[in-house]
Amino acid sequence: MPQRAATIVGGGIGGLAAAIALHRRGWRVEVLERATEFTELGAGISLWPNALHALEVLGLAGSVRALGAVEATGGVRDRRGRWLSRTDNAELARRFGHPLVVLHRADLLRTLTEALPAGSLRSGSEVSAVREDRRCLVVDHRRGESRPDLVVGADGLRSAVRRALWPDAAGPRYAGYTAWRMVTEPLAEPPSEGAATWGRGARLGYTA
Ligand SMILES: Cc1cc2nc3c(=O)[nH]c(=O)nc-3n(C[C@H](O)[C@H](O)[C@H](O)COP(=O)(O)OP(=O)(O)OC[C@H]3O[C@@H](n4cnc5c(N)ncnc54)[C@H](O)[C@@H]3O)c2cc1C
């Protein structure tokens, strides 16, 4: 059987994970990413047990866990600092097979990109359209066009793939949130656990 080809639009966590899964099943994959490189700015990410289960299927749970930190506890506080809920990470692992792991997004992205053949990662390849031409799928992008057997739209909130295929689908609606994310220099006395504090109209979250 000839090798089937998949074009994944978007090289974020979703697109890269889909590409790895298809690659492991014998598909030829290409990941078209709009940005000039495959990297995440952002800050940290908390990976819950379901994410680690997915990474396990991709053969990457061990390497991701090795890059991250497992905090013993965490939780949500009200604006006066009182706990609203607490998470016991050991209990989480006992019940769901993995603990909550926190790591830098760039480390997660690097682990995902390294699991793919280098030639499959095509940055600077913004996709402008997905169309059908004589019963073939065609993906138009900045570097030309691709004619895969399968297209995966993983191009985020304002997906060009969704717009091309479902022009009437409702797009995202601004819910009034603005997020600032940052990474600090190592602290002399880092907090021993991550937590979120919910105030009036604002939330603050941190992880060590
Ligand atoms: C503040 C904040 C904190 C979060 N914290 C967590 C957390 O702790 N744990 C957790 O599990 N989730 C968290 N999330 C959610 C998580 O970050 C997202 O669900 C996840 O990043 C979505 O990944 P994605 O690959 O689907 O999309 P994206 O990360 O949006 O990736 C889409 C990619 O497609 C590319 N692209 C877009 N348009 C095109 C185009 N036309 N052609 C080619 N490429 C294109 C973009 O450049 C981008 O690289 C958080 C989200 C936010 C906003």
Side-chain angles (χ1 to χ4, degrees):
M1 192 169 155
Q3 193 183 28
R4 288 173 298 175
T7 294
I8 292 93
V9 184
I13 298 168
L16 292 170
I20 296 166
L22 287 161
H23 171 62
R24 287 172 63 95
R25 296 298 292 257
W27 286 67
R28 184 158 48 83
V29 296
E30 67 168 356
V31 184
L32 302 177
E33 168 55 44
R34 172 174 61 186
T36 50
E37 50 184 319
F38 283 78
T39 187
E40 266 277 358
L41 302 171
I45 187 164
S46 308
L47 295 179
W48 291 82
N50 54 352
L52 283 144
H53 279 297
L55 286 164
E56 200 162 39
V57 173
L58 302 179
L60 297 174
S63 27
V64 168
R65 274 192 67 163
L67 289 168
V70 177
E71 292 166 342
T73 52
V76 178
R77 300 177 196 263
D78 71 8
R79 67 197 176 94
R80 296 189 200 286
R82 291 175 300 209
W83 287 109
L84 295 171
S85 74
R86 310 246 22 210
T87 306
D88 176 341
N89 219 350
E91 176 65 8
L92 204 63
R94 194 186 63 75
R95 285 175 66 172
F96 301 112
H98 288 286
L100 172 74
V101 174
V102 293
L103 78 163
H104 197 292
R105 282 175 182 259
D107 291 337
L108 176 61
L109 254 282
R110 197 177 51 252
T111 306
L112 296 175
T113 53
E114 285 175 0
L116 285 165
S120 65
L121 299 171
R122 307 186 68 188
S123 54
S125 304
E126 180 164 8
V127 168
S128 52
V130 178
R131 58 194 166 85
E132 224 180 298
D133 176 32
R134 283 164 288 166
R135 301 188 68 79
C136 283
L137 279 169
V138 183
V139 180
D140 294 313
H141 53 87
R142 259 188 87 187
R143 292 172 183 265
E145 64 171 39
S146 302
R147 292 177 172 260
D149 301 297
L150 171 73
V151 177
V152 177
D155 49 343
L157 277 182
R158 292 176 182 76
S159 166
V161 174
R162 183 182 53 219
R163 211 167 41 242
L165 298 177
W166 295 281
D168 298 328
R173 190 167 46 83
Y174 181 54
Y177 288 86
T178 302
W180 286 277
R181 295 184 290 168
M182 64 194 81
V183 179
T184 70
E185 294 298 322
L187 300 176
E189 289 181 41
S192 59
E193 59 186 5
T197 299
W198 290 1
R200 284 206 180 122
R203 294 182 199 172
L204 172 77
Y206 60 87
T207 187

